[in-house]
Amino acid sequence: MDQDSHCTAERELLEAVSRITTFSTTSPSDQEENQPKAEISCQQRKENPEKDDLQDSSATLSPHSSMTTKELQEYWRNEKSQCRQVKLLFEIPSTRIVEHHLSKYVMYKIIILQTGSFDSNKSVIERRYSDFEKLHRNLLEEFSEEMEDVTFPKKTLTGNFTEEIINERKLAFKDYLRLLYSMKCIRRSKKFIDFLTRPELQEAYGCLRGGQYTKALEILLEVIGLQERLTRGNPVSIVPTLCAIMVCHKDLENPASAFEYGEKALSCLRVHSSHRYYIPLLETMISLAYELGKDFLSLQEKLEEWKTKKDPIRVFTLKELAVREYVQ
């Protein structure tokens, strides 16, 4: 390639990167707090972007002139991937029949995968017919219009445990979840997210309250990945789970791991200093930083800054907040 052609190619790449960066740094038109960012179309932008967003865009573009053609191509690919809609795939590969005292029911194994790439962090949960039925009733109350054409497998008086009926319901529930997830308002709703995460969270917090930190941690680490996928764009919603993981690590004498999850939780709350977890989280992070020999002065400054702006109120410790979650 001659020099003129090479310069032209680099100039075209720079222009393309500039366009993509503009898309990725502007905010979505949807003002809902819990809107998943990964689902936002690359073409959706505010008419009046925030000043900070514009400054960030300019700062991001400034180093491009020093990039090689190969680096620009790689940057372009990365930026384009950020604009792709992240989708979840639901599979129900198997079932098991449970007999408990005088009751008998079928548990459906649900595997939740992220499409578009190899997903090594798939989530696996189990739900029974009555769980699906309760979800359907709850969604009908809130989304009657959207649920108008959604069919639900009806109960039968006999044959509920035959292989034929179970296989029919496996396919029906798979299609049911796929259809619900395809509707934006439903997949973002608390009722849908609770259906997929609440039973496991209730079990985990029960273990935490009982001092079974290893078991609680195991469950929480399984749930947090699914929560992150379901609540993209609303990081504040996963703060309680991150803090519960932090509490478990701390009580299991894993301060480094506790600090790691604390940093994730703090990043979720960087513009939410009024959140009930913010001060207990800061206090715990200061203690951990001191124990690990890390810089705690910046954390201390944030705490002092908050105290000067707020009236003194009773603040629970991080562990006290965690054990209060999902208390019936």
Side-chain angles (χ1 to χ4, degrees), residues 304-316:
E304 294 302 325
E305 181 184 356
W306 184 90
K307 288 181 177 179
T308 60
K309 294 180 179 179
K310 303 288 183 178
D311 294 329
I313 57 173
R314 166 155 170 67
V315 177
F316 292 109

Side-chain angles (χ1 to χ4, degrees), residues 127-141 147 152-156 169 173 176 195:
R127 297 294 182 267
R128 54 188 291 189
Y129 181 94
S130 59
D131 296 324
F132 281 97
E133 191 176 37
K134 181 180 178 181
L135 170 66
H136 192 69
R137 287 198 307 269
N138 289 338
L139 291 177
L140 282 174
E141 291 175 2
M147 296 287 291
F152 187 81
K154 296 181 180 179
K155 278 186 176 179
T156 58
R169 286 184 176 172
F173 285 142
Y176 178 74
F195 168 78

Side-chain angles (χ1 to χ4, degrees), residues 30-211:
D30 190 346
Q31 293 295 313
E32 293 178 346
E33 182 181 354
N34 64 341
Q35 181 177 4
K37 291 181 181 177
E39 297 164 353
I40 300 170
S41 169
C42 298
Q43 282 74 34
Q44 291 179 318
R45 301 182 296 277
K46 279 184 178 179
E47 293 181 3
N48 298 307
E50 297 291 339
K51 183 179 180 182
D52 289 343
D53 289 339
L54 292 174
Q55 291 173 344
D56 290 344
S57 177
S58 299
T60 304
L61 287 170
S62 60
H64 291 165
S65 58
S66 62
M67 287 184 178
T68 65
T69 302
K70 184 177 181 180
E71 288 172 338
L72 283 167
Q73 290 172 335
E74 181 63 26
Y75 180 86
W76 191 3
R77 282 193 293 269
N78 290 338
E79 287 296 321
K80 287 173 67 178
S81 68
Q82 296 299 317
C83 296
R84 293 180 188 143
Q85 179 179 343
V86 174
K87 296 182 180 180
L88 296 182
L89 179 69
F90 299 87
E91 295 289 344
I92 304 181
S94 61
T95 61
R96 63 187 180 95
I97 297 175
V98 178
E99 295 190 53
H100 184 66
H101 298 305
L102 299 178
S103 63
K104 183 179 180 181
Y105 52 88
V106 179
M107 294 293 288
Y108 296 85
K109 181 180 180 180
I110 306 169
I111 297 179
I112 306 165
L113 300 162
Q114 181 175 309
T115 62
S117 62
F118 175 73
D119 190 358
S120 60
N121 298 315
K122 64 184 179 183
S123 300
V124 181
I125 60 176
E126 283 189 318
R127 297 294 182 267
R128 54 188 291 189
Y129 181 94
S130 59
D131 296 324
F132 281 97
E133 191 176 37
K134 181 180 178 181
L135 170 66
H136 192 69
R137 287 198 307 269
N138 289 338
L139 291 177
L140 282 174
E141 291 175 2
E142 187 174 351
F143 306 103
S144 57
E145 185 176 343
E146 290 82 358
M147 296 287 291
E148 188 175 10
D149 297 323
V150 178
T151 58
F152 187 81
K154 296 181 180 179
K155 278 186 176 179
T156 58
L157 296 177
T158 59
N160 285 305
F161 301 102
T162 64
E163 185 177 354
E164 181 182 1
I165 293 295
I166 290 175
N167 286 333
E168 284 179 3
R169 286 184 176 172
K170 276 170 54 179
L171 295 174
F173 285 142
K174 174 185 172 181
D175 290 339
Y176 178 74
L177 290 173
R178 178 189 56 77
L179 183 56
L180 293 183
Y181 185 77
S182 70
M183 292 183 275
K184 186 185 297 184
C185 60
I186 290 180
R187 70 169 171 264
R188 294 177 182 171
S189 70
K190 185 177 184 300
K191 292 176 180 178
F192 182 69
I193 294 172
D194 278 353
F195 168 78
L196 296 170
T197 61
R198 189 177 181 87
E200 286 72 25
L201 286 171
Q202 286 177 322
E203 181 183 2
Y205 279 98
C207 292
L208 193 156
R209 285 189 288 273

